[in-house]
Amino acid sequence: MNSILCTLIVWGGMHYATPQWMEKQIPEWMWGRYEIYIVPYGTPLSQVKKDIDPKTTGLIGFSAGGLDVLKNYSKDYAFIGLIDPSTRDVYTKIDYGSNTFMVYNDKNWGNINKTLTKVADQINNTGGKSALVGLEHSSIPKYFFETHFRK
């Protein structure tokens, strides 16, 4: 993990994936190490924190919140986390960097979110890391935080 990472901005998803639910997915020890903001999907980055320094900030999005991360994507951020994210075709063309990590299960999406595996492949092909996991949608956030952040 990037040692200069200080701030995490986390977007939840729809329905049950509220900020309160997302808060419970984050290991307790992380709250003492990072400044963490959890917001509903669709919340503009500019409304979360005014003085963002990308070099020390991580953007993380679960499900629909993945779209918020993808639309703000930059290689300048210390960390980009996509947790079984909603995607769009436009995001299959981004040149992702080594700051990008995605965990997903395309089986969770049925006939929707058809660009998910294309985004995953693009992340792997352009310097990031994307991993297919055999978990149900609601189990992936806790897994992501436990896997990508260590005490």
Side-chain angles (χ1 to χ4, degrees), residues 13-30:
M14 297 174 72
H15 310 297
Y16 65 86
T18 63
Q20 295 78 15
W21 184 84
M22 289 298 296
E23 183 177 330
K24 293 175 186 159
Q25 309 312 303
I26 298 172
E28 191 64 38
W29 69 266
M30 287 181 63

Side-chain angles (χ1 to χ4, degrees), residues 96-113:
Y96 296 95
S98 60
N99 65 336
T100 308
F101 300 89
M102 182 167 114
V103 176
Y104 72 102
N105 184 352
D106 55 334
K107 290 180 175 51
N108 290 332
W109 292 94
N111 250 353
I112 59 173
N113 202 12

Side-chain angles (χ1 to χ4, degrees), residues 124-137:
N124 284 330
N125 291 335
T126 58
K129 289 190 168 91
S130 180
L132 176 65
V133 294
L135 298 171
E136 60 185 63
H137 192 61

Side-chain angles (χ1 to χ4, degrees), residues 69-145:
V69 173
L70 289 164
K71 76 174 151 190
N72 289 291
Y73 178 80
S74 168
K75 287 183 182 178
D76 294 337
Y77 282 99
F79 184 86
I80 297 290
L82 297 164
I83 307 170
D84 211 17
S86 296
T87 60
R88 302 283 184 268
D89 189 56
V90 66
Y91 302 122
T92 65
K93 298 164 181 67
I94 291 177
D95 182 20
Y96 296 95
S98 60
N99 65 336
T100 308
F101 300 89
M102 182 167 114
V103 176
Y104 72 102
N105 184 352
D106 55 334
K107 290 180 175 51
N108 290 332
W109 292 94
N111 250 353
I112 59 173
N113 202 12
K114 294 181 186 292
T115 56
L116 180 62
T117 55
K118 290 180 187 174
V119 169
D121 290 344
Q122 182 69 359
I123 289 169
N124 284 330
N125 291 335
T126 58
K129 289 190 168 91
S130 180
L132 176 65
V133 294
L135 298 171
E136 60 185 63
H137 192 61
S138 63
S139 298
I140 297 178
K142 187 176 287 289
Y143 170 83
F144 181 87
F145 287 110

